[in-house]
Amino acid sequence: MHKVIHSENIKQSLQARGWKQKDLAEALGVTAQSVTNWLKGSDFPRPDKLLKLATTLQLGFDKLVKTHTVGQPVVAFRKKAGAKTTDAHIDKAMVMGALLKALVPFLPPMPALRLQLTAPSTDYEPLQAVVSQVRARLGLGEEAAVAYHDLIGEFGANGAVVAPVLWGQKQNHKNALHILLPQENVTFIFLNLDTHQEDFKFWMAHELAHVYTPDLAGKEAGEDFADAFAGALLFPRAVASKTYGHAGTGNKTTEAKVLTEQAKAYGISVFSVFSEVNRYAHSQDLPPLRHTAEQIHQMRQIQRGKTMSEELFAPVPAEPGAYIAATKNTFKSAFFESLQKMIKKKETGTGYIQQVMDIPMQDAIALHGELVD
C-alpha cells in the first residue's frame, strides 16, 4: 500500500502558524528537502518523524496520511479506568499498525477457517447463546472455569498474534491494544502483563471478542460487545444463577462472602462476578444484589492479587530471555520468533522494536541484543 502525505492539510496548518517549510523542518530535526519530498509525495516520513509531525501540527493520522481505508490498520484500546483515548494515542497506534505490516511475511501461516460471530448482541439471551457456543468450542461445561490456555489457544486458531508487553501499572494509557491489519488478515493483540491477575483474564476474553467480531473492531459497539462477552464467558448464566441463589439467602455480609469465594474460584475480579449476577437478576426481573458498584470496587481494591508479570517472572523486572521464552511457551505466540527472523533477514534495528512495541529504548536495546544472539 503506497502512502503519501496530505500535503494540503499540512500547508494549511503551516499557514495557520505563520510557518514556512523550513520552520517545520527545524521543528522535526530534518532537512527542508525532506519536507519538500514529503509534500510532493516522492518520499514518506519514517515512523518517528510521522509521529512527531502529527504532534507538532496537531493533526490526526487520517488528516496527515492519504491511504486506502481497505488497508488502513484498525485499532481498539482496552483502556485503563477513566483514561481517555486522544488523537495522539490513536496516531501512535496507527503508526504501530503500519510498522507491523513489515512483520507479517515472517509470521507462520495463519489458519484460513476462523470463528466469526454474526449479529453480535449485548442483550442477555442472545449473548448467553453465543457464550454457550464458544464454551462448547472450547470443550467447557456450563459451570467450568475458563483457564488462560483456553483463551490463548483461540487467539492462534483465529489469526491473532499475542504480544505480551510490560507497560507498567500506572504510567501507560492502555492495558491492552488490538491492531487489525485488514489487507493482511492478521490481528496483533498487545496485552499488558503489568496488570493484576484477576483482571487479566477478563482483558484476554475482551480481546478475543474483538477477534471474533472483526467488523466491529475500533467501534464503540465493538467495545460494548467485548465487555459484555468477556463477563458472560467467564461467569455464565448457570453460575450466576446459583450465585444469586446463595447470595440472596443471607445478609450483606453473606453476599460479600459468596461473591468473593466465586471470584477466587473462577480466577476473576469480584466486580466481574457482581456484574454478571446482577445482569442475571435483571434478566429474570429479580431484585439486584445488596451491594452497590462503588462498594464492590472498594472490596476489589482490598483483594488485589499479584500482577501477571510478578507471577510469571518473580522477581521482576523480567530478564529479556525469560520474557521472550514466556511469550513463546506460555502464550504460544510466534511474535518474537518472527521478529527474530525479520531482524536476521533485514538487519532490523532497535528503533523498530521500540516503536512497534511502544517501549523505552533501553528495553528495545536489551530485547534486540537477545534476539540477535
Side-chain angles (χ1 to χ4, degrees):
M1 178 184 63
H2 179 62
K3 294 176 292 185
V4 296
I5 287 294
H6 263 303
S7 57
E8 288 305 315
N9 288 347
I10 291 181
K11 289 176 182 177
Q12 289 175 11
S13 183
L14 293 178
Q15 282 183 340
R17 286 168 171 75
W19 283 13
K20 297 184 180 298
Q21 290 183 26
K22 65 176 183 179
D23 298 316
L24 179 60
E26 289 177 4
L28 299 178
V30 299
T31 64
Q33 186 60 50
S34 293
V35 174
T36 299
N37 291 343
W38 297 345
L39 296 181
K40 288 168 56 179
S42 59
D43 199 3
F44 191 76
R46 292 172 61 86
D48 58 331
K49 298 304 179 186
L50 181 63
L51 185 58
K52 193 169 183 180
L53 182 61
T55 55
T56 300
L57 299 183
Q58 296 183 333
L59 291 175
F61 191 87
D62 59 330
K63 300 291 185 182
L64 199 60
V65 180
K66 290 182 180 179
T67 181
H68 299 296
T69 56
V70 68
Q72 182 172 312
V74 179
V75 302
F77 290 95
R78 174 67 188 165
K79 303 184 293 295
K80 288 185 180 293
K84 181 181 179 182
T85 304
T86 66
D87 288 341
H89 294 130
I90 298 294
D91 291 339
K92 180 179 283 190
M94 294 293 280
V95 170
M96 290 172 67
L99 286 168
L100 285 167
K101 289 174 176 286
L103 184 60
V104 172
F106 299 92
L107 296 172
M110 292 289 165
L113 296 177
R114 308 176 186 183
L115 175 62
Q116 290 195 13
L117 302 178
T118 57
S121 172
T122 57
D123 292 341
Y124 195 78
E125 292 300 330
L127 180 62
Q128 292 296 324
V130 165
V131 163
S132 294
Q133 174 190 351
V134 173
R135 280 181 154 262
R137 176 185 172 91
L138 297 176
L140 296 173
E142 289 185 344
E143 299 181 25
V146 178
Y148 289 111
H149 65 79
D150 295 320
L151 300 173
I152 290 168
E154 278 297 276
F155 285 115
N158 289 281
V161 179
V162 174
V165 285
L166 300 165
W167 280 339
Q169 294 185 55
K170 296 180 179 179
Q171 63 270 31
N172 203 285
H173 159 75
K174 52 194 176 291
N175 47 42
L177 173 62
H178 173 108
I179 300 179
L180 167 64
L181 304 180
Q183 270 189 334
E184 292 78 6
N185 201 20
V186 176
T187 300
F188 289 87
I189 306 292
F190 292 85
L191 294 172
N192 185 10
L193 297 179
D194 290 325
T195 193
H196 296 281
Q197 289 177 284
E198 64 270 19
D199 295 325
F200 191 77
K201 195 184 293 184
F202 183 92
W203 297 344
M204 288 184 70
H206 175 104
E207 293 303 322
L208 185 59
H210 283 316
V211 174
Y212 287 155
T213 57
D215 292 342
L216 291 181
K219 300 176 182 176
E220 196 67 33
E223 290 302 303
D224 292 342
F225 175 76
D227 272 344
F229 172 88
L233 179 69
L234 299 177
F235 206 76
R237 173 168 45 196
V239 189
S241 172
K242 287 189 175 181
T243 303
Y244 183 87
H246 293 137
T249 58
N251 54 25
K252 205 169 181 180
T253 301
T254 300
E255 181 178 288
K257 183 174 183 290
V258 170
L259 296 180
T260 300
E261 288 174 347
Q262 289 292 71
K264 184 177 181 180
Y266 283 82
I268 56 179
S269 78
V270 68
F271 188 80
S272 292
V273 174
F274 167 80
S275 299
E276 292 309 311
V277 173
N278 263 345
R279 288 191 181 106
Y280 165 77
H282 180 75
S283 74
Q284 303 298 311
D285 293 324
L286 296 170
L289 295 172
R290 299 171 179 84
H291 284 80
T292 65
E294 291 75 15
Q295 290 169 336
I296 295 296
H297 273 302
Q298 291 174 1
M299 188 187 306
R300 177 191 189 186
Q301 293 302 319
I302 296 172
Q303 298 172 2
R304 285 290 193 190
K306 292 182 178 180
T307 64
M308 285 297 297
S309 55
E310 289 170 337
E311 182 67 22
L312 287 170
F313 306 122
V316 291
E319 292 296 325
Y323 172 40
I324 292 171
T327 299
K328 176 183 177 180
N329 300 323
T330 302
F331 291 93
K332 310 301 179 186
S333 172
F335 180 78
F336 281 117
E337 288 181 291
S338 303
L339 189 55
Q340 186 176 50
K341 291 178 184 177
M342 181 181 177
I343 289 171
K344 292 182 176 180
K345 177 75 172 180
K346 302 180 70 174
E347 298 184 352
T348 305
T350 56
Y352 180 85
I353 298 176
Q354 186 270 324
Q355 292 183 79
V356 83
M357 295 183 68
D358 191 18
I359 58 176
M361 181 55 77
Q362 61 267 30
D363 293 343
I365 291 172
L367 287 173
H368 189 273
E370 188 72 23
L371 292 170
V372 296
D373 285 345

